[in-house]
Amino acid sequence: MSLTASLNSAMSGLTQTSRRAEAVASNVANADTDGYRRREIVQGEIPGRAVTRRVVDPALAQLRRDAAADAARTGTAEAFHARLNTAIGDPGDPGSVQARLAAFDASFVAAASDPTSETLLASVARDAASLAGGLNDMADVVTAARQDADAAIDATVRALNSDLSAVADLNTRIMRVEASGQDASNLRDRRGLLVDRISEAIPVRRLARDGGGVALVSTGGAILLDGRAAAIGFTPQPVVTDDMVAPGQLSGLTIQGRPVVTGGAGPVGSGRLGALFDIRDRDAPAATDRLDAFAADLIDRFARVGTDPSLTPGDPGLFTDAGAALSAAPPAGLAARLRVNNALEPTDPATLLPLRDGFGAMVAGPAGDPAQLLRFGAALHLRDVPVTDPARSAGSLVDLLGTMRSEISSSRIRSEDEGGVARAHANSLAAARDGGSVDTDAEMRRLIEIERAYAANARVIQAVDAMMDRITEI
């Protein structure tokens, strides 16, 4: 080999080892950086030309994105069920609905022991209002959850449109940079983070395109990006009420102007966006139905002639639908409209007599007669089929509330279990960095090898220099 060839080979070796050292330094410096994948220097398609390669396992990356989407979905559902469980409270909590019902029941027992006591009658009125207020508060929590879900859908859709446009822009930049022979690894890292964020909202499949670009297709088959970003449409509702349904009063989702199914096996049936639609359109309305069924049974029990003989059909009893009697098919949101009879005012002793004489009584009865108070108390324990849900088993109000509490608690526990498993799976895959995680010990060993290679090439250059000097002297 000639001196010139030896010198060129050594210089090429120095360049290669210098680039390898830069890659190792970058790996170590970014070992904990989100979205970073290990770099390595490999032989390019052109002989003698090295290129930087990001170490990524596409299959592992897809598994990680799917797991992250599932964790986002279960986490969103878990937060909703935890919120509902907090609203109903534990039986032992003083402010829970079950505790309010128990206090209401006890107040009838106390008042029946002394029907002449205005203090005891006022306690019944206060506890009745407290029970109604507890159900109102729960209904408000459910309605707020629907409103929050609708607002979160809007925010998620806006973020998706922004991220899809950013990925399209990065596709163009990556293709330009790599076409010029430069390294686009940092741009690929940024694009990977955006794809991850998109996939948490709508699980996607990443398809490689010529020149370094990518296309994104949802697991349900909707094309979100292929050259140009698709426009995802959603119209938020400023005020969501219990009787609103989707499609109709509440907006669905569109992709490129075409409506898409938002649940089940639809294009966005999983991920955070799918979970938000489930809360708004399925889970929260189901919770409202359960609350309304209990409220309807509460109103009905105290409006029956057997409970209050002074009433005539159509008259409101102790509990009302915003002051009116219970209709045959009350609109959604009955629990939010639940009120004690307008004739009852705990601070006005003159309005307390209906508790002792009946809400339809035209004249006052015997002051010491506890019969009506006992009938009211018995209505709470009457085992009967819920008026709005004949398919349910017969039970007392305590039984019905306990069943509702159990259903809410079971849903919370189930969602927590699913969320815990999904998060653990997602975290384990995230730790692998798609096969491109950085082992700093291994990088330090590579650095020692690089140092030795650099020193060897440097010695060759020194030897060639010495030979050239000798030849010049001759």
Side-chain angles (χ1 to χ4, degrees):
M1 181 182 290
S2 67
L3 291 179
T4 301
S6 298
L7 183 60
N8 289 339
S9 177
M11 290 296 295
S12 176
L14 285 178
T15 302
Q16 291 275 27
T17 52
S18 177
R19 290 189 62 184
R20 288 178 63 196
E22 289 177 2
V24 169
S26 176
N27 290 340
V28 174
N30 293 281
D32 297 321
T33 301
D34 237 6
Y36 183 85
R37 299 297 178 263
R38 185 168 63 84
R39 274 60 156 159
E40 61 182 20
I41 306 301
V42 298
Q43 179 62 46
E45 295 180 359
I46 301 175
R49 180 177 175 181
V51 296
T52 303
R53 182 171 76 91
R54 291 171 74 245
V55 180
V56 176
D57 182 337
L60 195 58
Q62 187 60 59
L63 287 174
R64 176 185 55 77
R65 282 193 289 267
D66 289 345
D70 192 43
R73 176 187 64 81
T74 55
T76 302
E78 182 182 348
F80 167 75
H81 290 295
R83 186 175 181 178
L84 197 59
N85 187 78
T86 300
I88 195 170
D90 292 326
D93 294 342
S96 69
V97 178
Q98 285 175 293
R100 295 181 191 218
L101 180 60
F104 181 50
D105 184 19
S107 68
F108 276 122
V109 175
S113 68
D114 184 6
T116 62
S117 172
E118 292 178 353
T119 301
L120 294 177
L121 291 176
S123 178
V124 172
R126 283 194 301 271
D127 289 337
S130 174
L131 177 58
L135 290 170
N136 296 160
D137 292 343
M138 270 203 72
D140 289 344
V141 167
V142 176
T143 302
R146 290 192 82 192
Q147 183 74 67
D148 291 347
D150 192 77
I153 292 169
D154 180 49
T156 301
V157 168
R158 285 189 280 107
L160 277 170
N161 284 322
S162 174
D163 289 345
L164 287 169
S165 296
V167 171
D169 179 63
L170 282 169
N171 274 344
T172 302
R173 294 175 63 187
I174 288 169
M175 288 188 285
R176 288 175 179 171
V177 168
E178 293 187 344
S180 67
Q182 300 179 61
D183 178 28
S185 295
N186 289 334
L187 294 177
R188 285 178 175 269
D189 283 344
R190 288 170 56 189
R191 185 178 66 185
L193 285 173
L194 289 171
V195 172
D196 291 347
R197 194 159 64 190
I198 291 168
S199 190
E200 284 189 8
I202 300 179
V204 296
R205 293 289 180 266
R206 178 182 176 279
L207 307 176
R209 291 290 185 258
D210 292 340
V214 296
L216 299 178
V217 180
S218 78
T219 53
I223 298 175
L224 303 180
L225 172 69
D226 196 359
R228 297 177 60 183
I232 303 175
F234 176 79
T235 303
Q237 179 61 247
V239 179
V240 177
T241 56
D242 294 320
D243 58 343
M244 289 183 174
V245 296
Q249 298 98 324
L250 297 177
S251 172
L253 200 69
T254 62
I255 297 179
Q256 292 294 80
R258 297 180 180 179
V260 296
V261 178
T262 55
V268 294
S270 186
R272 180 182 295 108
L273 194 58
L276 290 170
F277 272 107
D278 283 344
I279 290 170
R280 193 197 68 173
D281 301 335
R282 185 193 66 190
D283 297 338
T288 295
D289 289 344
R290 286 198 297 266
L291 287 170
D292 287 355
F294 180 81
D297 200 60
L298 180 63
I299 294 172
D300 178 67
R301 285 171 181 260
F302 284 87
R304 296 175 185 175
V305 175
T307 302
D308 187 350
S310 69
L311 295 175
T312 57
D315 288 343
L318 175 54
F319 293 99
T320 68
D321 180 355
L326 181 67
S327 63
L334 177 61
R337 301 190 303 271
L338 182 66
R339 302 289 186 274
V340 295
N341 196 298
N342 294 333
L344 203 61
E345 175 53 57
T347 60
D348 186 356
T351 67
L352 301 176
L353 294 181
L355 290 172
R356 188 180 64 199
D357 302 327
F359 283 86
M362 303 301 294
V363 296
D369 186 2
Q372 184 57 60
L373 288 166
L374 292 173
R375 283 193 292 268
F376 280 145
L380 293 173
H381 299 279
L382 177 67
R383 294 187 61 80
D384 205 353
V385 176
V387 63
T388 59
D389 193 358
R392 281 189 177 270
S393 302
S396 67
L397 271 177
V398 174
D399 295 333
L400 296 177
L401 183 57
T403 299
M404 181 169 66
R405 172 70 178 80
S406 177
E407 290 172 349
I408 291 172
S409 180
S410 295
S411 296
R412 176 187 62 81
I413 293 171
R414 183 169 57 253
S415 66
E416 284 182 353
D417 290 344
E418 291 175 354
V421 171
R423 282 190 295 274
H425 183 48
N427 290 339
S428 65
L429 287 170
R433 295 281 189 94
D434 303 341
S437 59
V438 177
D439 182 345
T440 52
D441 290 340
E443 295 298 321
M444 291 299 101
R445 289 194 294 271
R446 290 190 188 94
L447 193 59
I448 293 172
E449 295 170 2
I450 292 168
E451 184 183 9
R452 290 171 179 169
Y454 191 94
N457 283 295
R459 284 196 296 272
V460 170
I461 293 174
Q462 289 174 346
V464 170
D465 182 58
M467 291 179 186
M468 294 292 290
D469 288 343
R470 182 60 177 164
I471 292 172
T472 302
E473 291 174 0
I474 295 174

